[in-house]
Amino acid sequence: MSLPRQALDPSRTSWHITWGAYGTRLHGSVRPTVEREHNKRGEAFVPANAQREQAIRKILNFPPVVLTGAQREFIEATLPAICERGGWTCRIAAAASDHVHILCDIVPAIHGEKVRRLLKRWLGEALSAEWPLPAKATWWAEEGSNLAVKDEAYLNNVYRYIAKQRATVAK
Protein backbone atom coordinates (compact mmCIF):
# COMPACT_ATOMS: atom_id res chain seq x y z
CA MET A 1 0.00 0.00 0.00
CA SER A 2 1.36 3.38 -1.00
CA LEU A 3 0.97 6.07 1.65
CA PRO A 4 0.05 9.61 0.68
CA ARG A 5 2.89 12.13 0.77
CA GLN A 6 2.47 14.48 3.72
CA ALA A 7 3.00 18.24 3.57
CA LEU A 8 3.35 20.63 6.49
CA ASP A 9 0.44 22.99 7.14
CA PRO A 10 1.94 26.50 7.42
CA SER A 11 -0.85 27.62 9.77
CA ARG A 12 -0.28 24.78 12.27
CA THR A 13 2.50 22.84 13.96
CA SER A 14 2.63 19.10 13.40
CA TRP A 15 3.40 17.11 16.56
CA HIS A 16 4.48 13.51 17.01
CA ILE A 17 3.04 12.62 20.41
CA THR A 18 3.60 9.31 22.19
CA TRP A 19 2.63 7.89 25.58
CA GLY A 20 2.75 4.50 27.24
CA ALA A 21 0.25 2.22 28.91
CA TYR A 22 0.53 2.06 32.69
CA GLY A 23 3.30 -0.18 34.00
CA THR A 24 4.43 -1.65 30.70
CA ARG A 25 7.73 0.20 30.05
CA LEU A 26 9.78 0.27 33.23
CA HIS A 27 13.25 1.78 33.66
CA GLY A 28 15.82 -0.99 33.86
CA SER A 29 13.95 -3.25 31.44
CA VAL A 30 15.77 -4.66 28.42
CA ARG A 31 13.36 -2.57 26.31
CA PRO A 32 14.76 0.97 25.99
CA THR A 33 13.33 3.84 28.03
CA VAL A 34 14.33 7.45 28.61
CA GLU A 35 14.34 9.33 31.89
CA ARG A 36 12.85 12.73 32.54
CA GLU A 37 16.33 14.19 33.21
CA HIS A 38 18.07 12.45 30.30
CA ASN A 39 15.82 12.59 27.28
CA LYS A 40 17.54 14.61 24.58
CA ARG A 41 17.96 13.21 21.07
CA GLY A 42 21.24 11.30 20.86
CA GLU A 43 21.49 10.58 24.58
CA ALA A 44 21.76 6.97 25.65
CA PHE A 45 18.68 5.04 26.73
CA VAL A 46 18.38 3.89 30.34
CA PRO A 47 20.61 0.80 30.65
CA ALA A 48 19.09 -2.58 31.42
CA ASN A 49 19.14 -3.30 35.14
CA ALA A 50 16.98 -6.15 36.45
CA GLN A 51 17.15 -4.93 40.06
CA ARG A 52 15.92 -1.45 39.06
CA GLU A 53 13.10 -2.90 36.97
CA GLN A 54 11.99 -5.18 39.84
CA ALA A 55 12.12 -2.32 42.36
CA ILE A 56 9.87 -0.22 40.14
CA ARG A 57 7.54 -3.15 39.47
CA LYS A 58 7.09 -3.60 43.25
CA ILE A 59 5.85 -0.03 43.71
CA LEU A 60 3.23 -0.14 40.95
CA ASN A 61 -0.20 0.63 42.40
CA PHE A 62 -2.02 -1.57 39.89
CA PRO A 63 -1.20 -4.36 37.45
CA PRO A 64 0.28 -3.17 34.14
CA VAL A 65 -2.22 -2.26 31.40
CA VAL A 66 -1.76 -4.30 28.24
CA LEU A 67 -4.06 -3.03 25.52
CA THR A 68 -6.10 -5.73 23.79
CA GLY A 69 -6.74 -5.86 20.06
CA ALA A 70 -10.24 -4.47 20.58
CA GLN A 71 -8.89 -1.64 22.74
CA ARG A 72 -6.20 -0.82 20.18
CA GLU A 73 -8.80 -0.64 17.41
CA PHE A 74 -11.03 1.50 19.64
CA ILE A 75 -8.15 3.91 20.31
CA GLU A 76 -7.34 4.29 16.63
CA ALA A 77 -11.02 4.86 15.79
CA THR A 78 -11.58 7.30 18.69
CA LEU A 79 -8.51 9.55 18.45
CA PRO A 80 -9.65 11.50 15.34
CA ALA A 81 -12.86 12.57 17.13
CA ILE A 82 -10.90 13.46 20.27
CA CYS A 83 -8.62 15.63 18.14
CA GLU A 84 -11.64 17.30 16.57
CA ARG A 85 -13.00 18.00 20.07
CA GLY A 86 -9.72 19.73 20.93
CA GLY A 87 -9.51 21.68 17.69
CA TRP A 88 -6.60 19.67 16.33
CA THR A 89 -6.24 17.66 13.13
CA CYS A 90 -5.32 13.98 13.44
CA ARG A 91 -3.13 12.84 10.55
CA ILE A 92 -2.65 9.27 11.78
CA ALA A 93 -2.61 7.35 15.05
CA ALA A 94 -1.50 3.88 16.11
CA ALA A 95 -2.03 1.90 19.28
CA ALA A 96 0.26 -0.96 20.24
CA SER A 97 -0.26 -3.19 23.25
CA ASP A 98 1.88 -0.91 25.40
CA HIS A 99 1.85 2.58 23.85
CA VAL A 100 0.11 5.05 21.55
CA HIS A 101 1.49 7.28 18.77
CA ILE A 102 -0.35 10.15 17.14
CA LEU A 103 0.67 12.65 14.50
CA CYS A 104 -1.54 15.72 14.69
CA ASP A 105 -1.59 19.37 13.67
CA ILE A 106 -2.11 22.00 16.35
CA VAL A 107 -2.32 25.81 16.29
CA PRO A 108 1.16 27.19 17.10
CA ALA A 109 0.01 28.85 20.33
CA ILE A 110 -0.57 25.42 21.93
CA HIS A 111 2.31 23.11 22.88
CA GLY A 112 2.17 19.38 22.20
CA GLU A 113 2.61 18.69 25.94
CA LYS A 114 -0.77 20.24 26.72
CA VAL A 115 -2.36 18.28 23.88
CA ARG A 116 -0.76 15.03 25.10
CA ARG A 117 -2.22 15.54 28.59
CA LEU A 118 -5.70 16.17 27.13
CA LEU A 119 -5.47 13.24 24.70
CA LYS A 120 -4.55 10.91 27.55
CA ARG A 121 -7.37 12.19 29.77
CA TRP A 122 -10.09 12.14 27.12
CA LEU A 123 -8.99 8.83 25.63
CA GLY A 124 -8.77 7.28 29.11
CA GLU A 125 -12.33 8.43 29.83
CA ALA A 126 -13.55 6.91 26.54
CA LEU A 127 -11.76 3.62 27.24
CA SER A 128 -13.12 3.48 30.79
CA ALA A 129 -16.67 3.89 29.51
CA GLU A 130 -16.15 0.65 27.53
CA TRP A 131 -13.70 -1.18 29.80
CA PRO A 132 -13.93 0.10 33.40
CA LEU A 133 -10.75 0.02 35.45
CA PRO A 134 -10.53 -0.54 39.21
CA ALA A 135 -11.03 2.60 41.33
CA LYS A 136 -8.09 5.03 41.05
CA ALA A 137 -6.38 2.90 38.38
CA THR A 138 -5.14 4.59 35.22
CA TRP A 139 -4.68 3.56 31.62
CA TRP A 140 -1.50 5.57 31.09
CA ALA A 141 2.05 5.99 32.29
CA GLU A 142 2.85 9.41 33.74
CA GLU A 143 4.96 10.78 30.93
CA GLY A 144 5.38 10.50 27.18
CA SER A 145 6.99 12.51 24.42
CA ASN A 146 6.03 15.47 22.29
CA LEU A 147 8.17 16.24 19.26
CA ALA A 148 7.39 19.21 17.03
CA VAL A 149 7.83 18.21 13.39
CA LYS A 150 10.03 20.82 11.71
CA ASP A 151 10.46 19.44 8.19
CA GLU A 152 8.62 17.32 5.64
CA ALA A 153 11.26 14.58 5.61
CA TYR A 154 10.62 13.87 9.30
CA LEU A 155 6.87 14.32 8.79
CA ASN A 156 6.81 11.62 6.13
CA ASN A 157 9.14 9.30 8.06
CA VAL A 158 7.05 9.48 11.21
CA TYR A 159 3.83 9.07 9.21
CA ARG A 160 5.18 5.81 7.72
CA TYR A 161 6.49 4.70 11.12
CA ILE A 162 3.08 5.16 12.73
CA ALA A 163 1.25 3.57 9.78
CA LYS A 164 3.33 0.37 10.22
CA GLN A 165 2.23 0.09 13.86
CA ARG A 166 -1.50 0.48 13.34
CA ALA A 167 -3.82 -2.23 14.62
CA THR A 168 -6.27 -1.22 11.90
CA VAL A 169 -5.82 -0.32 8.26
CA ALA A 170 -5.45 3.43 7.67
CA LYS A 171 -8.53 4.92 6.06
Side-chain angles (χ1 to χ4, degrees):
M1 173 179 95
S2 177
L3 297 173
R5 180 133 182 90
Q6 300 295 301
L8 292 171
D9 178 345
S11 67
R12 296 192 165 225
T13 303
S14 295
W15 286 88
H16 176 203
I17 301 173
T18 306
W19 65 92
Y22 178 80
T24 57
R25 288 298 272 277
L26 305 178
H27 293 315
S29 167
V30 295
R31 297 179 63 208
T33 62
V34 295
E35 293 179 293
R36 195 175 297 169
E37 299 83 28
H38 305 98
N39 62 4
K40 304 293 183 261
R41 180 173 266 162
E43 288 185 342
F45 290 116
V46 173
N49 179 322
Q51 288 86 8
R52 183 176 186 189
E53 180 184 15
Q54 284 299 0
I56 294 170
R57 190 172 304 285
K58 287 179 184 176
I59 62 171
L60 290 176
N61 294 316
F62 304 97
V65 171
V66 178
L67 300 168
T68 66
Q71 291 165 340
R72 293 173 62 201
E73 290 176 12
F74 178 87
I75 289 167
E76 291 174 9
T78 303
L79 278 172
I82 288 175
C83 284
E84 187 174 313
R85 172 183 174 185
W88 320 307
T89 304
C90 177
R91 287 181 183 257
I92 193 167
S97 63
D98 64 349
H99 68 283
V100 177
H101 285 278
I102 186 167
L103 180 61
C104 59
D105 295 341
I106 305 165
V107 294
I110 300 175
H111 193 278
E113 170 65 21
K114 179 178 182 180
V115 172
R116 182 174 55 82
R117 286 193 312 264
L118 289 170
L119 287 169
K120 288 169 64 175
R121 180 185 334 151
W122 293 342
L123 183 57
E125 290 168 354
L127 283 162
S128 291
E130 296 290 321
W131 296 277
L133 291 175
K136 298 189 181 182
T138 180
W139 288 96
W140 311 122
E142 288 182 17
E143 297 295 325
S145 68
N146 325 292
L147 297 172
V149 177
K150 306 280 188 194
D151 61 68
E152 288 186 359
Y154 180 70
L155 179 68
N156 282 281
N157 284 338
V158 75
Y159 188 93
R160 283 189 301 273
Y161 176 77
I162 293 171
K164 289 178 185 175
Q165 296 186 50
R166 284 180 58 83
T168 56
V169 175
K171 304 279 188 241

